[in-house]
Amino acid sequence: MNKKLFEFLSTQFKNGEPKLWGSFHIISLVISLTIAIILIAALWKTTKKEIATFWILFAFWIILFTIECLKQFYAGSKIDGSGNWYWKYDTRWSVPFVLCSMPLYFIPLYLVTYKTKMFKTIILDFIGVYCLYGGAFVMILYPGDVFTSTIFISTHSMIFHGAMLIIGMFLVINNIIKFSWKTVGFAFLIFMILWAITGIGNEIIWQLHKAGKIDFMPNLLNISHRLQNPFGDAIKNITNGKVKFSDLTIYLAYPLWTFIVSNIIYGFFGFVSWSARKIEASAKLHYETKLQNKAMLRRKNVAKESINAQ
C-alpha cells in the first residue's frame, strides 16, 4: 500500500517541470481567483460573518492538513535496491515549519478561540495578512521556485498557496479583518514573536546537534543563521552570483523584507476592498437619490393635476 501510494505521488510531468506563467500556473491561478471571487460575492452582504469565517477556515484547514500529510508521507518515503518501500525522514527541509505553513497551526488556534474578543482578532489579522502574502507571492509574483517535475509536489504547492490566497482575499476584501494600521500592527506583532522564537529555536537545535545530543537539525522557517539559507541561494541565482548575503544577515533582514512586501500586497487588496465599498455606497446613494427625485416629481404632478381640476 505504502509503495503504491509513493509511486503514485512520484508521477512525473511528461514535459518536465511547469514553467512560470505556463498553462499549469495560469490554470491554477484562475481556479484560485475564481473560488475567491465566488466566496467574496456570495458572502459580501452576510450578517453572519463570524460563523461563515469559522466554517470557511475549518474547511480550508482540512484541505491543507490532508495534502500536507500526503507531502510528509512523500518526503519520508524511499525505495531500496530491492524495490522495497522504507521510511527515512529528512528533517532539514521537510519539517512543515515555514511561514507558508503557518495556517496549519494558526487556523486551529483561531477555531478554538473564535468566541474570544482581542485574542481572536489578533490571530485572524495574522492569518489574513500572511495568508494573503504567501498566497499572492507564490501564485502571482514568483511561483517558479516551487515547481518541480513531480506532479504531486507542484500540485501541492498550487493547492496550498491557492488556498492561502483565497483565505487572504476573503478576509481582507470582505472586510472581515479591518483595513487599518491596527491590523498591520497585530499581524506583524505575531510575526515578530514567531521570528524571535524561531531564531532561538534554531540556535538551540544547532548547539544540541553540535554536542551530539540530537541527530536531527530542521531549518525552522528556512531562516536559520547556522545553516544554508534558501533565500540566500535565491538571491545569488537571481543576481547570477553578484549579490551575496550571509545567513545571519538574511535572518536579521527577514522581518524588514517580510513587513514591506506583505503590506504592499495587503495594501493592494485592502484598497480593492475599500474601492468596492465606495463604489457600492455611491451606487446606493445614486439609486436612493433617483427614487427621491421620482417621488418628488410624482408629488408635483399630483399637485398640478389637482390645481387644474379646480
Side-chain angles (χ1 to χ4, degrees):
M1 175 66 182
N2 290 333
K3 181 181 178 182
K4 288 183 178 180
L5 178 57
F6 176 60
E7 289 174 343
F8 172 74
L9 296 177
S10 301
T11 305
Q12 305 287 298
F13 285 103
K14 292 182 179 179
N15 299 320
E17 68 180 52
K19 305 298 181 185
L20 177 65
W21 295 111
S23 58
F24 181 79
H25 176 201
I26 292 173
I27 290 171
S28 300
L29 178 58
V30 168
I31 290 173
S32 299
L33 291 176
T34 300
I35 295 172
I37 291 169
I38 290 172
L39 269 180
I40 290 167
L43 298 170
W44 183 257
K45 293 185 178 180
T46 182
T47 57
K48 299 180 179 180
K49 287 187 176 181
E50 287 194 3
I51 295 175
T53 300
F54 179 93
W55 288 110
I56 287 170
L57 290 181
F58 177 74
F60 275 105
W61 184 82
I62 293 295
I63 295 171
L64 296 177
F65 179 76
T66 301
I67 62 171
E68 186 59 33
C69 285
L70 289 172
K71 183 183 177 183
Q72 293 303 308
F73 170 83
Y74 175 84
S77 294
K78 303 289 184 291
I79 302 293
D80 64 19
S82 302
N84 298 314
W85 176 90
Y86 70 98
W87 178 265
K88 186 178 181 181
Y89 193 67
D90 179 8
T91 59
R92 176 70 63 87
W93 303 114
S94 299
V95 174
F97 198 85
V98 296
L99 190 57
C100 287
S101 65
M102 288 302 106
L104 289 171
Y105 311 105
F106 279 88
I107 288 178
L109 190 58
Y110 169 77
L111 296 178
V112 299
T113 61
Y114 88 104
K115 288 188 177 181
T116 64
K117 292 183 179 179
M118 191 67 175
F119 192 70
K120 171 194 71 175
T121 300
I122 295 173
I123 296 299
L124 197 59
D125 286 345
F126 177 79
I127 292 171
V129 172
Y130 287 96
C131 272
L132 191 57
Y133 167 49
F137 190 86
V138 172
M139 295 298 294
I140 300 173
L141 299 178
Y142 188 69
D145 60 349
V146 301
F147 288 143
T148 73
S149 58
T150 305
I151 294 175
F152 168 69
I153 295 300
S154 293
T155 303
H156 169 279
S157 294
M158 291 295 96
I159 293 175
F160 204 101
H161 293 95
M164 291 178 68
L165 178 61
I166 293 166
I167 291 169
M169 287 180 63
F170 168 70
L171 293 177
V172 172
I173 295 178
N174 270 34
N175 206 35
I176 292 170
I177 64 170
K178 303 301 181 183
F179 185 43
S180 69
W181 284 107
K182 186 179 288 188
T183 297
V184 171
F186 283 154
F188 194 63
L189 172 64
I190 296 294
F191 171 82
M192 288 302 297
I193 294 172
L194 186 64
W195 172 80
I197 292 173
T198 297
I200 295 169
N202 278 326
E203 179 64 22
I204 291 172
I205 290 169
W206 168 264
Q207 295 295 341
L208 290 175
H209 186 272
K210 185 179 178 180
K213 295 183 178 180
I214 58 174
D215 60 357
F216 61 91
M217 193 162 49
N219 188 350
L220 304 179
L221 286 188
N222 282 343
I223 57 170
S224 175
H225 55 288
R226 294 288 193 176
L227 301 172
Q228 179 184 0
N229 195 302
F231 298 107
D233 294 339
I235 292 170
K236 284 191 290 186
N237 291 335
I238 292 171
T239 62
N240 294 320
K242 295 178 181 178
V243 178
K244 298 179 182 179
F245 293 105
S246 69
D247 296 329
L248 179 58
T249 300
I250 290 175
Y251 170 72
L252 295 175
Y254 189 62
L256 179 62
W257 159 267
T258 304
F259 179 81
I260 293 171
V261 180
S262 64
N263 285 299
I264 288 173
I265 293 172
Y266 166 67
F268 171 78
F269 284 96
F271 180 75
V272 170
S273 173
W274 178 82
S275 299
R277 293 180 189 283
K278 284 292 183 181
I279 292 170
E280 181 184 41
S282 178
K284 183 179 179 181
L285 179 61
H286 176 74
Y287 177 71
E288 290 175 349
T289 302
K290 190 175 180 180
L291 289 179
Q292 290 173 357
N293 290 338
K294 284 184 177 180
M296 187 178 296
L297 184 60
R298 282 196 298 270
R299 286 196 295 271
K300 286 181 177 180
N301 289 335
V302 169
K304 188 183 293 185
E305 289 174 359
S306 177
I307 292 172
N308 292 334
Q310 293 176 0

